[in-house]
Amino acid sequence: MNEFHLSTPWADGWQFDRKCYSLPNHYERCSLSDQLKWPALLLKSTTRENDAFQPSSAAISSQKNNRQNISHEVFHERLRSVKQWFEEFSDVQRNRLLSEILPNCNGRQLHLLSTWLCGDGYVTVESADTCTPAGNDQPESGGSDSSTDGHSDTDSLNVGSNNDEMASRSHGPPGSCRLHLGCPPNCQDPLSVLPVHISFSILSYLDPQMLARAAEVSRVWRWMCNSPVLWHRLALLPNWRLSPLDHSKQLAKHTSDAVINWKEVVVERWRVRRNWLGAHCHVRTFAGHSEGVTCVQFDNNRIVSASHDNTIKVWSMRTNSQWPVQTLVGHSGRVRCLHLSNNRLVSGAADATIKVWEVVETSEWSSIVCRVTMTGHTNTVRCLQVCGDDTVVSGSYDHSVRVWSLPSGVCRQTLLGHTGAVLSLAVVVPLKLIVSGGGDNAIKMWGLESGECLRTLHGHTDAVTSVCADTHGIVSGSLDSTIRSWDVLTGKCLCTVNWISSEGHTGVVRCVAADEWRVVSASDDKTIKVWERHSLKRLVTLRNHTDGVTCVAFNEFFIVSGSYDKTVKLWDFSAC
């Protein structure tokens, strides 16, 4: 029997002996350099042309019959040769062999592989013959799956005879999978194999809920998923970022021994966000006013409310008492607006005055002192806002907007342009801009320093009762029961919400407040609605007041509202 040497360009000059009887019976001798190219020797033994040759259906049928006609002895001889070759191959060459063979597998071979991958790891003649996928390699009419010498195709799959040897070489007990024989225990865990910084980069795409679930996979995953690096990054993303004031307060709450627990910070924010979107909150009611509540403000520990009963009341958020801890009496008319900043409270009333109060409260004592009274408006002071430490901006029924020096109480500027009462205003300090809404259905934008009217926005069909503005835009509410969103730079109306098309309020919109991602509105229809900031899509509706809601203020954890029903309510989203 003649022998020949087969060398491949990727075998680095390695040569091995192969005997001619391992070739198919119909093989024709030809130049090895032209025809014998690996893996054509194994996979395309019947191919007489180059790799671009496409066999006809008749050739495929003939090739199938030839495969069926290989005798049992020839098959085993060739199988031994292939196994010997495979053992001599390097890992790269073995991978190349498998990549070339797998595309030529039909239904039966794929079923066998699925049994190997999903079963107990051992393949026997019986397991290979238990099922034949429908529509794949079905026997032809009148044909048989048996070869001419009486042996079945599956008789050649004699790979289950060495089960004891396989079990003794595997990591686990008999029956465990051999596919990872020789691999380390964590070979199927990508995070354990990859460099730590790449694993962190992958995990950084998960939201807080998915990151918490991933931590339950294994100890390694738990260690990675609990890394402060990931949770710190999440806390700084726009979806989970708080206002600077709320951010600092929360960090102080979750800091121990100068170390911030970033996971607890993000988990609390995620839970609060879930409660906002699901309207899960605890409601506390504060009763004490004898008339409707017109304005509310709050900080960490207290709520301040103004009323038509000419008083200002201070309520404690730290106790369960529904009664006020302080009552401020000084205005001779209805108190219509408030601004609370630290221990300084500024109020405006129907007596056309603005008062600056110093309100100090401790666990043992409290004091109230009126420091400054500002006079200059000729009618009710309907709205005001404090800018920094030295400026107050106010709007009045006398159609004017005034800018005051806070320490001295002197009016620095008077802005005239509205033809109706000024009902609401907001100051955008970064843009040095004043935005005011009036009874003339118009919204005006003023320069904070120049006092000039920069732009007038038209769109509402009735008086503008409330405006809020920041660098993200302007949001306004009106007696026409609509809410509008405006571009702060161009003055273009971006979106309008009404009760017909957008599940809006069915009554007068009395107050709107906004932050980066939501808008909270109050209405005479006794409801508070929360909207997505940019699209003004309604997120949730809150109901608890028994009369129209006149005012709201909120932060990341609370909503405080006042109503014509003479009560103040605290909606706590952090308690659920």
Side-chain angles (χ1 to χ4, degrees), residues 41 71 90 92 195 198 240 269 291 312 393 396 453 459 478 542:
L41 181 61
S71 67
S90 66
V92 174
I198 296 180
W240 309 105
R269 295 182 185 183
E291 297 290 341
I312 301 170
V393 181
S396 170
C453 182
S478 170
L542 305 175

Side-chain angles (χ1 to χ4, degrees), residues 185-313:
N186 61 347
C187 70
Q188 300 181 70
D189 182 0
L191 296 187
S192 299
V193 178
L194 294 173
V196 175
H197 69 282
I198 296 180
S199 299
F200 283 160
S201 178
I202 295 172
L203 293 173
S204 66
Y205 288 93
L206 301 181
D207 60 25
Q209 187 176 15
M210 296 304 298
L211 195 59
R213 290 180 179 178
E216 301 176 355
V217 173
S218 66
R219 293 180 180 178
V220 175
W221 283 44
R222 184 188 310 161
W223 173 80
M224 291 187 179
C225 293
N226 289 338
S227 171
V229 175
L230 293 174
W231 296 98
H232 186 191
R233 178 184 176 278
L234 280 173
L236 299 180
L237 291 177
N239 289 344
W240 309 105
R241 187 186 305 149
L242 303 184
S243 65
L245 181 60
D246 291 328
H247 179 76
S248 60
K249 292 177 183 177
Q250 191 189 30
L251 293 191
K253 176 182 176 182
H254 294 287
T255 300
S256 177
D257 298 329
V259 177
I260 301 173
N261 191 328
W262 287 105
K263 181 177 180 180
E264 290 184 0
V265 169
V266 176
V267 168
E268 182 180 23
R269 295 182 185 183
W270 176 85
R271 184 175 64 250
V272 171
R273 178 70 64 92
R274 178 199 60 186
N275 291 340
W276 272 90
L277 298 179
H280 305 306
C281 59
H282 175 69
V283 182
R284 292 173 56 188
T285 301
F286 302 91
H289 284 293
S290 58
E291 297 290 341
V293 179
T294 58
C295 186
V296 290
Q297 293 277 286
F298 72 99
D299 58 16
N300 289 340
N301 305 315
R302 59 194 171 185
I303 299 172
V304 182
S305 62
S307 171
H308 284 238
D309 60 11
N310 302 356
T311 66
I312 301 170
K313 293 185 180 294

Side-chain angles (χ1 to χ4, degrees), residues 318-340:
R318 295 177 295 181
T319 67
N320 290 324
S321 174
Q322 63 172 339
W323 307 109
V325 296
Q326 291 175 315
T327 299
L328 286 67
V329 179
H331 285 290
S332 59
R334 297 176 176 180
V335 184
R336 300 306 308 267
C337 51
L338 296 170
H339 189 101
L340 177 64

